[in-house]
Amino acid sequence: MGPPRQADWTKEAEGNRAALPAEARALVDAARAELVTAKDPYFRGIDSDRDLSPE
């Protein structure tokens, strides 16, 4: 499927999404929109790992 952040756009996945309650579908749609528009969803800022040990 490509990078781990890639969404599953198959008919099966769409059927599974359609079977969810409306509130859950709204959450999935919001996450999908964020995923599709994110430049790099793993980037959390240049100083996000400041507390990690250098080893």
Side-chain angles (χ1 to χ4, degrees), residues 2-3 8-9 16 18-19 25 32-33 35-37 39 41-42 45 47 51 53-54:
D8 185 357
W9 298 103
N16 291 338
R25 269 196 318 271
R32 182 188 292 183
L35 178 68
V36 170
T37 59
K39 286 174 69 175
Y42 295 118
D47 293 331
D51 297 332
S53 125

Side-chain angles (χ1 to χ4, degrees), residues 44-54:
R44 296 181 313 209
I46 196 156
D47 293 331
S48 66
D49 60 357
R50 185 181 327 172
D51 297 332
L52 293 176
S53 125

Side-chain angles (χ1 to χ4, degrees), residues 2-20:
R5 65 182 182 264
Q6 186 172 353
D8 185 357
W9 298 103
T10 63
K11 291 286 185 186
E12 180 184 359
E14 185 61 24
N16 291 338
R17 188 194 73 80
L20 294 171

